[in-house]
Amino acid sequence: MSVPQTPHLFGASTTAGETIDGVDLHGRRAVVTGASSGIGVETARALASAGADVTLAVRDTDAGARVVARLEAELPSTSGKLAVGRLDLADRSTVAAFVADWTGPLHILVNNAGVMAPPQLIRTPDGRELQFSVNHLGHFALAVGLHPALAAADGARIVSVASIGHLFSPVVFDDLDYRFRPYDPWTSYGQSKTANVLFAVGAAERWADDGITANALMPGNIADTSLARHMDMDMQQVADFIASGELALPPQKTVEQGAATSVLLAASPSVQGITGRYFEDCAQSEPVAERAGAVAGVAPYALDPENAARLWSVSEALVR
């Protein structure tokens, strides 16, 4: 089954700066989670360079402040303002505090932060499995809490950073927290990334009347990232481990290339009005029928509206 395609202006080697070239975001406000390293920094850089005022929502505010200082020294004087906000997605109190501190409209929300494949089962203070809690539930609570600000923006965009890793597993609704199954770092990561896609599908359905669009994406195979900080492996070992699960990785990208699809969805006029979709390499993805040998594509279960509706209902109950 084919999907409607966006104008094929860009591709796998496109950088974040190229996707936003000529776009004017002055007067717009953005939040980028996990913007103290990796593609989060480059996403914030690109949005600010186009004039957006960008808040870096991070666990380590000292690291965030260092990024702000570096970007301010590197960006032109016409760039938007940069700020830092404390946000630990595993700690609901910090999510609530971030939401409570926000005033005024929010035009762009990039749910970028995440963790990948800790080798041992880790639970958050509220008893949730870490990857599902951080990658999905924390971002879900943030977006729902900021919904009034997004609705006030008249045309807000939500960007949900997922992964080809969603092909490792659908959301297993009957055992989200590995209380019955043996813990596996990759199926856990997979279900959290599937949840990132389903969140975009659910938000697109629920918030369309508020003028909000929501899309998910695979940034690519990024060598320079802190995503694997919980893993005692180098990136080649990560690649080999993923390949052992019959999931092939696409060619590596730089962080500037890895941020390109996020920035495209956050700001490019070429995707105006498109919502509830999954992108990679700056284009909408084709569905795939199985994981074996896949280097691209989206699993049908990740775009299924019934799965999205069920996940939304479950997530609302879990973050109350």
Side-chain angles (χ1 to χ4, degrees), residues 20-179:
I20 208 167
D21 185 40
V23 176
D24 184 0
L25 296 179
H26 287 91
R28 306 287 182 91
R29 304 170 75 203
V31 168
V32 181
T33 70
S36 59
S37 64
I39 64 173
V41 173
E42 295 309 315
T43 301
R45 179 199 302 275
L47 296 176
S49 72
D53 294 335
V54 183
T55 297
L56 284 61
V58 297
R59 288 184 307 128
D60 184 343
T61 53
D62 289 339
R66 290 192 292 271
V67 170
V68 166
R70 173 161 60 89
L71 292 181
E72 287 178 338
E74 295 170 353
L75 288 168
S77 60
T78 55
S79 299
K81 297 177 181 177
L82 294 162
V84 177
R86 162 81 171 147
L87 181 72
D88 181 346
L89 292 164
D91 182 346
R92 299 290 172 268
S93 67
T94 73
V95 177
F98 188 94
V99 169
D101 287 343
W102 188 268
T103 58
L106 174 60
H107 303 85
I108 299 166
L109 172 61
V110 183
N111 289 336
N112 168 80
V115 295
M116 182 175 73
Q120 304 299 323
L121 174 63
I122 302 172
R123 298 198 187 281
T124 60
D126 58 352
R128 307 266 74 88
E129 186 276 320
L130 180 70
Q131 294 189 87
F132 189 76
S133 181
V134 170
N135 296 348
H136 169 62
L137 287 177
H139 279 130
F140 177 85
L142 178 68
V144 169
L146 291 173
H147 172 250
L150 292 161
D154 189 24
R157 298 188 187 189
I158 300 174
V159 179
S160 183
V161 179
S163 169
I164 193 175
H166 80 275
L167 299 180
F168 275 126
S169 178
V171 174
V172 181
F173 288 100
D174 292 325
D175 193 20
L176 295 172
D177 296 308
Y178 287 82
R179 297 189 181 278

